[in-house]
């Protein structure tokens, strides 16, 4: 086939992601997006203009060589496409599904100026899925053993990507995870219908094959301290995530049926409450009930859509700003709407009320309007005096973010943290103030994204490698 | 996987396990607990570390079979393994030389109180132990308590053994006799802990209870274990489980512990259907012991 002209490429419309029908998918926990087929992936890849100075690469937090991997897909060289992706992104099958592409690479795609950007995320996902399903995850070459030992604390994206790089550099790597399963938020937070757990498990298996050791049920700080780790490891990476749920602080928050999003999602995802009683962990019986979720981020969308799948009759997002300020990925908001989620925008909860046995019965909400911009540059919601409403609800999920879990900082007194408990690091090396200890991911930035956590893990791996070669550089 | 090296019943439905967990054995302090899971689809449940032996790397737990997970656990024997064990969790008990300390345990609460009572004794306190049970069979750890306490009073609701009455009646009796009590530790069913708090409050006796809200992760990540103390919400798994009895909101604790009552019944029913045989054998063994 002759090379397409830019005009011909631009004439191809962006390919839609095939997905489960909304009426069907709210009855199951299977993935909503079904993925392109090969033909569609190649056609979509042909839309890329192969810019000389690709804005998309600059828009990617880890500078994935986007035009290069897309070119490989267009040419049918899928294995190469996957391997180019993995040069910069340790978890392409995950990021292709959960990155906010519309805020990053796709936002600055040249095609977005005139029409619709290349579906970079869908193509990333496709290449990574192709590899996993067709030829199996390709095991990277590892350098000769160095005999140096590194402890990775936390099995989320930051820890996993750091472990992956270090093992390839020839170091001896052990990951310590507090929970009984590896994956961090990818396992306990993000639901199956958005990120099948099989993908995370395949990544973990790949790391095991490379020789990474995993120790679950092991809490650094409690089971063993950072200082003790330093006695048997040459370096330590802390990727412990955020992990301390914020509550609203309104009356009635301790009624039965009120959950933090962490608890709600952990019960369903990690503990599989949706299989109850075949799995032992229960969750409030939501069938035919009304569920409200407070918040407007990915976590809120995950919780509200989970509640539909648990049989909620009415599922409501209650957010104190407008849709434009919602931090959630556009696709999640879109999917939520398709599935029948109601959006109560510019409403803030002021009270939760229960019945005589302590079950949640109704919420009292305050209508807001947008006022002056606040510190984040977003217009601050202010109450409209007297505009109070009462709405019957049975379950409420609070998804307004996470602070930093203090287990590490309280048991490592000489580790410097800021006033919110985030570990302070050197931005280029992820070094903390404590010799031999590095940190990255949500524990450093506060709740952010998978790609940033992954990038931080890799940055730390490079610096740890340097440090192991020459500990005097500290 | 943590291997069980010893398992025996102490009372009907109350079983002691010694399990291999070297790191936890080395680290744990009185008042701390573990979270365990018995099978792939199992629930994570908190159980106090009753004792430990750093030399042979084992910890002791004492479990009362009240629902699906605890009863399933109590079908395990020496040689079996527990799928997941994580810890030590929670803040250690606050131990100091108070003077005279009364340790009150109701039912399996005695097992939870035991390590702290022992630590109180080691800190130089005069320790009085009250062990409450429904009837004679339910009074546990009497011998163990006798080793570490200066006075031990078993009490039974039906008078079949020891003092006839509730643990609070015994406590009240000690107070009425004019005994000087500087500290009370009370662990057991919520109504018992609440009742102890009511007895000690007018006498201004410092009283600590160990709360048992429903937990999931045990690391402060989910907030499911939140309890209200001094009007403020705190997480029992990291800020507790021991709190000032006079500041605890017991009503909220009782309400929150009821949340899955229906589901607990369903689970138990399912277990009984599937494991009927297992149970019968277990009960037979129990009788023989
Ligand atoms: C519901 C939800 C949906 C999200 N959706 C998206 C999305 O669509 N796109 C996106 O980019 N981002 C999303 N995020 C954010 C993203 O998941 C996080 O930014 C990312 O997972 C952070 O990675 P991490 O490795 O720093 O931490 P985590 O993923 O939190 O992993 C930390 C791990 O460390 C373990 N740990 C903690 N303390 C200890 C200890 N003391 N010892 C041992 N182990 C410990 C934890 O158990 C956990 O497994 C979402 C987050 C949530 C909660
Ligand atoms: C810090 C702490 C220490 C404990 N120590 C001991 C101990 O040493 N020995 C002992 O026998 N028991 C102890 N318990 C109680 C024990 O955890 C519960 O009895 C057990 O979880 C019940 O589970 P189940 O499936 O058998 O019963 P279920 O039928 O599920 O529940 C029975 C009751 O146990 C409580 N419960 C249920 N699930 C949980 C959960 N995930 N976490 C906490 N409580 C729950 C509920 O209030 C319920 O009313 C402790 C609890 C806490 C919080
Ligand atoms: S059990 Fe989850 S925060 Fe305490």
């Amino acid at each position: 086939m002759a090379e397409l002209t830019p005009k011909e490429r631009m004439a191809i419309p962006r390919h839609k992601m095939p997905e489960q029908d909304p009426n069907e998918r709210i009855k199951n926990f299977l993935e909503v997006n079904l993925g392109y087929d090969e033909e569609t992936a190649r056609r979509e890849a042909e839309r890329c203009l192969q810019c000389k100075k690709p804005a998309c690469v600059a828009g990617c937090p880890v500078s994935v060589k986007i035009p290069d991997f897309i070119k490989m897909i267009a040419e049918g060289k899928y294995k190469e496409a996957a391997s180019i992706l993995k040069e910069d992104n340790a978890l392409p099958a995950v990021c292709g599904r959960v990155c906010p592409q519309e805020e990053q690479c796709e936002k600055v795609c040249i095609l977005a100026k005139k029409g619709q950007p290349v579906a970079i995320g869908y193509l990333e996902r496709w290449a990574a899925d192709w590899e996993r399903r067709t030829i199996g995850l390709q095991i990277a070459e590892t350098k000769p053993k160095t005999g140096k030992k590194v402890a990775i604390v936390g099995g989320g994206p930051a820890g996993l990507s750091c472990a992956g790089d270090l093992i390839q550099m020839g170091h001896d790597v052990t990951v310590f995870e507090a929970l009984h399963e590896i994956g961090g938020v990818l396992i306990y937070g993000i639901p199956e219908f958005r990120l099948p757990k099989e993908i995370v498990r395949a990544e973990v298996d790949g790391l095991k094959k490379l020789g990474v050791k995993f120790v679950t049920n092991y809490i650094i700080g409690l089971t063993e301290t950072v200082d003790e780790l330093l006695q048997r490891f040459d370096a330590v990476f802390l990727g412990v995530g955020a992990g301390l749920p914020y509550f609203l602080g309104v009356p009635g928050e301790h009624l039965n049926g009120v959950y933090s999003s962490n608890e709600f999602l952990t019960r369903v995802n990690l503990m599989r409450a949706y299989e109850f009683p075949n799995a032992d962990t229960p969750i409030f019986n939501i069938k035919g009930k009304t569920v409200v979720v407070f918040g407007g981020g990915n976590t809120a969308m995950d919780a509200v859509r989970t509640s539909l799948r648990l049989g909620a009759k009415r599922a409501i997002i209650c957010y104190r700003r407008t849709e434009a300020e919602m931090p959630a990925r556009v696709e999640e908001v879109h999917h939520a709407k398709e599935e029948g989620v109601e959006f109560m925008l510019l409403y803030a909860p002021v009270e939760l009320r229960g019945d005589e046995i302590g079950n949640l019965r109704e919420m009292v909400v305050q209508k807001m309007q947008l006022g002056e911009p606040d510190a984040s540059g977003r217009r601050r919601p202010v109450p409209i005096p007297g505009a109070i409403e009462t709405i019957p609800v049975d379950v409420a999920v609070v998804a307004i973010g996470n602070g930093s879990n203090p287990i590490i900082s309280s048991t490592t007194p000489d580790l410097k943290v800021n006033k919110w408990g985030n570990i302070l690091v050197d931005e280029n090396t992820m070094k903390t103030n404590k010799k031999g200890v590095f940190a990255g991911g949500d524990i450093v930035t506060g709740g952010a994204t998978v790609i940033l956590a992954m990038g931080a893990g890799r940055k730390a791996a490079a610096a740890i490698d340097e440090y192991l070669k020459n500990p005097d550089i500290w | 996987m943590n291997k069980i090296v010893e398992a025996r019943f102490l009372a009907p439905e109350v079983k002691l396990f010694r399990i291999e967990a070297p790191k936890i054995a080395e680290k744990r302090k009185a008042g701390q607990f573990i979270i365990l899971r018995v099978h792939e689809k199992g629930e994570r449940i908190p159980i106090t570390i009753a004792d430990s032996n750093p030399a042979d790397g084992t910890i002791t737990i004492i479990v009362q079979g009240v629902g699906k997970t605890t009863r399933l656990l109590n079908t395990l024997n020496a040689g079996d393994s527990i799928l997941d064990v994580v810890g030590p969790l929670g803040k250690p008990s606050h131990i100091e030389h108070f003077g005279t300390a009364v340790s009150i345990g109701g039912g399996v609460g005695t097992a939870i109180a035991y390590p702290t009572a022992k630590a109180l004794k080691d800190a130089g306190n005069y320790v009085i132990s009250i062990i409450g049970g429904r009837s004679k069979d339910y009074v546990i750890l009497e011998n163990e308590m006798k080793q570490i306490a200066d006075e031990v009073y078993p009490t039974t609701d039906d008078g079949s053994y020891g003092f006839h009455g509730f643990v609070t009646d015994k406590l009240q009796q000690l107070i009425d006799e004019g005994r000087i009590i500087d500290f009370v530790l009370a662990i057991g069913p919520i109504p018992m802990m609440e009742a102890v708090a009511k007895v000690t409050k007018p006498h201004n006796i410092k009283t600590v209870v160990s709360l048992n809200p429903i937990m999931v992760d045990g690391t402060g990540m989910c907030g499911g274990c939140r309890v209200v103390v001094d009007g403020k919400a705190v997480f029992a798994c990291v800020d507790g489980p021991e709190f000032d009895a006079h500041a605890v909101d017991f009503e909220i604790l009782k309400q929150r512990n009821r949340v899955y009552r229906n589901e607990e019944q369903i689970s138990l029913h399912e277990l009984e259907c599937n494991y009927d045989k297992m149970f019968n054998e277990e009960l037979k063994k129990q009788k023989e012991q």
Side-chain angles (χ1 to χ4, degrees):
Chain A
M1 193 167 58
E3 183 82 350
L4 295 178
T5 64
K7 208 166 164 203
E8 283 168 330
R9 291 182 192 276
M10 289 196 327
I12 310 170
R14 175 173 161 125
H15 295 83
K16 279 195 64 157
M17 170 58 77
E19 50 191 41
Q20 278 198 69
D21 180 81
N23 295 319
E24 274 311 306
R25 72 189 188 220
I26 59 166
K27 295 180 210 140
N28 65 56
F29 274 83
L30 303 177
E31 195 175 8
V32 168
N33 286 350
L34 302 171
Y36 284 159
D37 57 22
E38 183 175 349
E39 181 54 33
T40 312
R42 283 185 76 161
R43 283 295 281 167
E44 182 63 29
E46 282 172 347
R47 295 181 64 225
C48 175
L49 297 181
Q50 295 291 320
C51 302
K52 284 271 166 331
K53 280 203 187 122
C56 53
V57 178
C60 172
V62 299
S63 310
V64 166
K65 295 181 270 302
I66 294 167
D68 299 11
F69 97 79
I70 292 185
K71 185 158 192 260
M72 290 301 132
I73 296 182
E75 291 176 4
K77 297 179 185 156
Y78 308 136
K79 190 174 170 187
E80 286 78 359
S83 95
I84 292 173
L85 272 168
K86 285 205 283 192
E87 283 171 23
D88 302 294
N89 185 347
L91 304 165
V94 175
C95 292
R97 287 172 165 83
V98 306
C99 265
Q101 288 92 1
E102 72 278 359
E103 289 296 326
Q104 302 176 0
C105 52
E106 294 185 17
K107 182 181 184 178
V108 290
C109 172
I110 187 93
L111 293 187
K113 295 219 170 80
K114 296 234 173 77
Q116 291 214 294
V118 175
I120 301 169
Y122 296 162
L123 289 174
E124 177 181 28
R125 160 196 164 126
W126 188 82
D129 285 358
W130 179 89
E131 180 192 56
R132 192 181 65 255
R133 289 181 188 147
T134 320
I135 54 172
L137 282 185
Q138 296 297 293
I139 304 290
E141 299 257 321
T142 55
K143 293 204 181 131
K145 293 272 165 263
T146 62
K148 299 283 184 195
K149 294 171 74 185
V150 185
I152 307 280
V153 185
L160 292 179
S161 54
C162 191
D165 278 8
L166 287 168
I167 197 87
Q168 290 175 45
M169 293 164 176
H171 306 303
D172 184 89
V173 183
T174 309
V175 177
F176 296 97
E177 167 57 49
L179 293 171
H180 57 263
E181 198 165 349
I182 303 286
V185 170
L186 308 183
I187 283 285
Y188 77 72
I190 304 180
E192 181 76 21
F193 59 81
R194 203 149 73 77
L195 176 66
K197 302 299 156 238
E198 164 229 335
I199 292 172
V200 184
R201 294 196 183 109
E203 291 293 344
V204 174
D205 282 345
L207 291 175
K208 279 186 190 154
K209 281 193 196 133
L210 283 174
V212 175
K213 283 165 266 181
F214 288 95
V215 182
T216 50
N217 297 314
Y218 207 93
I219 306 177
I220 300 306
L222 302 179
T223 319
E224 186 170 1
T225 62
V226 172
D227 285 308
E228 286 164 324
L229 279 183
L230 282 170
Q231 290 175 12
R232 50 187 196 111
F233 290 91
D234 299 296
V236 173
F237 174 76
L238 303 172
V240 293
L244 180 78
Y246 287 142
F247 283 92
L248 297 164
V250 303
E253 212 160 12
H254 309 304
L255 289 165
N256 294 344
V258 185
Y259 290 97
S260 76
S261 53
N262 283 359
E263 183 185 359
F264 187 77
L265 291 169
T266 301
R267 281 182 178 273
V268 178
N269 297 324
L270 181 71
M271 305 310 297
R272 302 196 246 180
Y274 61 93
E275 292 178 42
F276 183 86
N278 289 325
D280 295 349
T281 304
I283 191 138
F284 215 79
N285 185 352
I286 285 174
K287 286 202 181 69
K289 306 265 175 69
T290 300
V291 178
V292 63
V293 177
F294 300 111
N298 287 319
T299 310
M301 297 305 142
D302 284 345
V304 81
R305 296 172 65 203
T306 295
S307 74
L308 282 174
R309 284 157 177 80
L310 292 170
K313 173 186 72 188
R314 239 186 121 186
I316 307 169
I317 282 283
C318 178
Y319 183 54
R320 64 197 185 111
R321 303 178 194 252
T322 71
E323 192 174 328
E325 284 90 19
M326 280 196 175
R329 297 176 77 229
V330 171
E331 189 178 35
E332 309 315 325
V333 177
H334 171 72
H335 279 160
K337 284 184 181 162
E338 278 183 348
E339 291 169 8
V341 170
E342 297 168 42
F343 283 73
M344 283 182 62
L345 300 170
L346 287 167
Y347 279 96
V350 290
E351 189 184 344
L352 299 169
R353 292 188 186 143
D355 58 18
E356 62 295 340
I357 59 163
N359 286 338
L360 177 65
R361 279 290 165 261
E362 58 189 27
M363 63 171 177
V364 182
V365 287
Q366 160 78 60
K367 181 88 180 135
M368 314 293 276
Q369 63 191 3
L370 289 183
E372 296 300 310
D374 64 10
S376 70
R378 300 182 297 183
R379 291 177 64 195
R380 188 194 304 273
V382 288
I384 302 173
I388 300 270
E389 292 170 36
T390 302
I391 295 165
V393 291
D394 307 288
V395 170
V397 180
V398 181
I400 56 169
N402 275 288
S404 5
N405 191 299
I407 288 183
I408 292 282
S409 54
S410 64
T411 54
T412 322
D414 55 342
L415 185 71
K416 280 211 177 104
V417 297
N418 68 15
K419 66 174 169 182
W420 298 282
N422 302 114
I423 299 176
L424 294 171
V425 297
D426 172 283
E427 267 182 42
N428 298 314
T429 59
M430 314 311 282
K431 275 182 193 162
T432 67
N433 69 305
K434 198 171 160 71
K435 186 165 182 188
V437 180
F438 300 72
D442 280 3
I443 187 60
V444 168
T445 54
T449 59
V450 173
I451 190 87
L452 286 172
M454 199 276 313
R458 299 199 70 181
K459 217 191 244 182
I464 292 171
D465 188 47
E466 280 290 300
Y467 168 70
L468 293 176
K469 284 181 191 143
N470 181 8
D472 296 334
I473 63 169
W474 195 272
Chain B
M1 285 289 216
N2 298 65
K3 198 161 161 207
I4 301 171
V5 293
E6 182 189 346
R8 63 186 158 91
F9 279 96
L10 299 180
E13 297 268 29
V14 177
K15 198 165 182 176
L16 174 149
F17 296 92
R18 215 151 51 78
I19 52 185
E20 281 175 6
K23 273 286 169 194
I24 303 175
E26 191 185 299
K27 276 282 145 115
R28 63 63 71 160
K29 294 204 172 79
Q32 290 187 297
F33 62 97
I34 55 167
I35 280 190
L36 60 80
R37 215 164 62 110
V38 286
H39 64 102
E40 264 312 321
K41 292 190 175 181
E43 194 170 6
R44 295 170 63 98
I45 65 156
I47 299 287
T48 304
I49 306 166
D51 212 341
S52 71
N53 184 344
D56 71 0
T58 61
I59 58 171
T60 301
I61 57 173
I62 297 173
V63 180
Q64 180 174 32
V66 292
K68 181 167 180 183
T69 309
T70 47
R71 290 200 176 165
L72 208 50
L73 183 60
N74 283 358
T75 62
L76 299 182
N77 285 306
D80 295 336
S81 287
I82 300 177
L83 181 62
D84 297 300
V85 172
V86 63
L89 304 169
K91 282 212 176 103
S93 306
H94 172 81
I95 303 292
E96 63 177 86
H97 183 109
F98 295 103
T100 297
V102 179
S103 148
I104 304 176
V108 78
T110 302
I112 304 177
Y114 170 75
T116 304
K118 191 169 154 191
L120 285 167
K121 180 68 200 170
D122 291 343
N125 290 286
Y126 185 89
V127 175
I128 301 174
S129 161
I130 303 177
I131 305 176
R134 237 184 298 157
S135 62
K136 184 169 192 279
D137 285 349
Y138 293 88
V139 173
I140 59 169
L141 299 179
E142 188 181 352
N143 284 331
E144 285 80 354
M145 280 294 190
K146 276 186 178 149
Q147 307 281 317
I148 58 141
D150 299 279
E151 297 171 36
V152 178
Y153 300 106
T155 73
T156 50
D157 303 356
D158 64 359
S160 54
Y161 187 63
F163 176 92
H164 184 173
F166 295 132
V167 289
T168 39
D169 299 330
K170 182 70 209 177
L171 176 67
Q172 189 66 58
Q173 191 190 50
L174 292 173
I175 294 172
D176 293 343
E177 283 169 1
R179 302 284 299 261
I180 305 291
I181 297 171
D182 303 292
F183 178 77
V184 171
L185 167 75
I187 307 179
I190 301 169
M192 180 210 99
M193 296 193 283
E194 203 177 1
V196 170
K198 280 209 186 95
V199 170
T200 57
K201 179 116 206 234
H203 303 279
N204 267 326
I205 303 172
K206 185 177 165 64
T207 304
V208 162
V209 286
S210 178
L211 303 186
N212 59 341
I214 295 173
M215 296 187 174
V216 185
D217 57 296
T219 63
M221 182 272 277
C222 79
C225 65
R226 62 195 186 275
V227 291
V228 175
V229 180
D230 247 344
K232 282 207 310 275
V234 287
F235 295 176
C237 71
V238 284
D239 302 317
E242 290 179 6
F243 295 100
D244 174 0
H246 300 140
V248 169
D249 187 327
F250 286 105
E251 287 312 313
I252 290 188
L253 179 63
K254 280 189 264 183
Q255 166 227 305
R256 288 185 62 76
N257 269 10
R258 270 198 309 260
V259 58
Y260 300 117
R261 193 177 272 173
N262 290 335
E263 286 76 11
E264 285 157 6
Q265 289 312 313
I266 296 170
S267 279
L268 202 53
H269 178 72
E270 195 229 8
L271 178 78
E272 275 161 2
C273 296
N274 293 338
Y275 289 83
D276 228 4
K277 223 181 96 242
M278 213 146 122
F279 265 131
N280 287 337
E281 281 170 16
E282 253 339 283
L283 286 173
K284 223 168 68 200
K285 255 192 244 150
Q286 243 171 285
K287 287 209 183 89
E288 284 163 10
Q289 273 186 10

